[in-house]
C-alpha cells in the first residue's frame, strides 16, 4: 500500500536473540543467510548508576575511564562541544573484549614533578612503557609494578609524558595532601587486601 516507514523502524521492531534473514552478495550470487541479533556493547558506557568514578593518580597525572557522564560535563550539546575524538568513541565505538575501556589522561594536578605537562588533558592513553593499554586496571598495575627508572605514557595526538619513578614516589604524598585527595586510586582498583 506504498506507506513509507523510517528505516530505523526495521531495527526497532526486532529483539535480541531473534534470527533475521538478510540477503548477501557472494561471488556474484545473491544468497539469503540468517543472522542472530545480539546486544551492542558500547565502548563508552552510557550510564554509571551507583558507581563512583574510576580513577588513578600518578605523579599528579589523573587517569580515568571515558564514560558519557564525563563528556556530558561539556553541556547538553556535548557531542558537538567535547573533544571530537572522545565524542566519536562515545557515539560509535564498540567494545571488542569484555574488559576493554578507553583510558584518558583527564588532567594534571600541578606539581614540580609534572612541570611542562600541565597543558595535557582529555587525551586517550595508548601505551605505558611500550605496552598497549586495554583498561585502567592494567594501567595502574603497570605503573605500580614498574621497575624501570622512568614511566612513559604514550598519549593520543603523538603526545608523550615521561615521569621519573623515584621522584614520583617522593612526591606522591605531597601531591595527594596538597590537593586533599584521600587515595591515589578508586576503590575498584585497590588490591583486595587494601580494602
Amino acid at each position: 500500500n506504498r506507506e513509507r516507514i523510517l528505516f530505523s523502524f526495521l531495527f526497532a521492531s526486532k529483539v535480541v536473540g531473534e534470527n533475521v534473514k538478510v540477503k548477501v552478495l557472494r561471488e556474484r550470487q545473491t544468497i539469503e543467510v540468517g543472522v542472530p541479533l545480539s546486544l551492542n556493547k558500547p565502548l563508552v558506557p552510557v550510564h554509571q548508576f551507583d558507581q563512583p568514578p574510576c580513577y588513578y593518580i600518578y605523579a599528579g597525572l589523573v587517569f580515568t575511564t571515558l564514560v558519557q557522564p564525563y563528556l556530558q560535563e561539556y553541556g547538553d550539546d556535548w557531542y558537538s562541544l567535547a573533544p571530537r575524538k572522545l565524542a566519536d568513541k562515545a557515539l560509535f565505538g564498540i567494545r571488542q573484549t569484555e574488559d576493554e575501556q578507553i583510558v584518558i589522561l583527564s588532567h594534571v594536578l600541578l606539581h614540580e614533578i609534572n612541570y611542562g605537562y600541565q597543558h595535557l588533558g582529555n587525551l586517550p592513553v595508548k601505551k605505558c612503557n611500550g605496552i598497549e593499554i586495554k583498561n585502567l586496571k592494567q594501567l595502574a598495575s603497570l605503573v605500580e609494578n614498574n621497575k624501570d627508572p622512568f614511566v612513559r605514557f604514550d598519549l593520543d595526538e603523538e603526545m608523550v609524558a615521561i615521569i621519573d619513578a623515584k621522584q614520583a614516589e617522593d612526591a606522591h604524598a605531597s601531591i595527594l595532601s596538597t590537593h586533599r585527595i584521600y587515595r591515589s586510586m578508586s576503590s575498584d582498583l585497590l588490591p583486595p587486601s587494601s580494602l
Side-chain angles (χ1 to χ4, degrees):
N1 72 28
R2 303 195 57 130
E3 183 178 338
R4 290 182 176 229
I5 61 171
L6 293 173
F7 185 67
S8 60
F9 173 77
L10 295 174
F11 298 107
S13 64
K14 306 297 179 193
V15 295
V16 173
E18 189 174 343
N19 204 28
V20 178
K21 291 183 181 174
V22 295
K23 290 182 180 176
V24 180
L25 185 61
R26 290 278 189 256
E27 297 177 7
R28 299 178 190 234
Q29 297 290 324
T30 302
I31 59 171
E32 194 171 279
V33 295
V35 177
L37 296 179
S38 61
L39 193 59
N40 247 357
K41 296 179 182 171
L43 181 57
V44 177
V46 177
H47 303 290
Q48 290 291 101
F49 296 120
D50 297 329
Q51 292 179 351
C54 189
Y55 69 91
Y56 178 68
I57 301 170
Y58 179 73
L61 306 179
V62 181
F63 300 96
T64 189
T65 55
L66 184 61
V67 292
Q68 277 196 27
Y70 179 91
L71 294 171
Q72 289 165 353
E73 292 297 314
Y74 285 92
D76 291 339
D77 196 20
W78 63 266
Y79 38 85
S80 297
L81 301 173
R84 178 81 273 140
K85 285 185 179 180
L86 299 183
D88 285 349
K89 288 179 188 293
L91 294 170
F92 307 114
I94 302 294
R95 248 186 309 156
Q96 301 302 314
T97 62
E98 196 60 39
D99 63 346
E100 182 181 7
Q101 297 174 317
I102 298 294
V103 177
I104 59 172
L105 171 59
S106 171
H107 60 281
V108 178
L109 304 173
L110 295 180
H111 189 275
E112 62 188 39
I113 184 79
N114 55 44
Y115 185 76
Y117 297 133
Q118 61 272 16
H119 66 285
L120 299 178
N122 293 323
L123 290 168
V125 181
K126 293 179 174 180
K127 295 180 181 179
C128 177
N129 287 348
I131 299 172
E132 276 194 46
I133 298 303
K134 298 175 190 162
N135 55 50
L136 190 57
K137 190 171 201 138
Q138 177 207 21
L139 174 73
S141 176
L142 287 171
V143 174
E144 293 294 313
N145 297 310
N146 176 57
K147 303 293 185 216
D148 296 334
F150 296 95
V151 179
R152 177 186 169 121
F153 300 99
D154 290 282
L155 310 169
D156 207 10
E157 300 178 14
E158 305 305 317
M159 300 290 221
V160 175
I162 300 174
I163 302 292
D164 183 299
K166 175 71 173 115
Q167 289 179 10
E169 186 181 327
D170 295 343
H172 181 76
S174 170
I175 292 170
L176 295 182
S177 173
T178 299
H179 296 279
R180 297 176 185 238
I181 299 171
Y182 177 63
R183 41 177 189 224
S184 61
M185 65 183 76
S186 52
S187 57
D188 58 317
L189 299 178
L190 290 170
S193 60
S194 302
L195 295 175

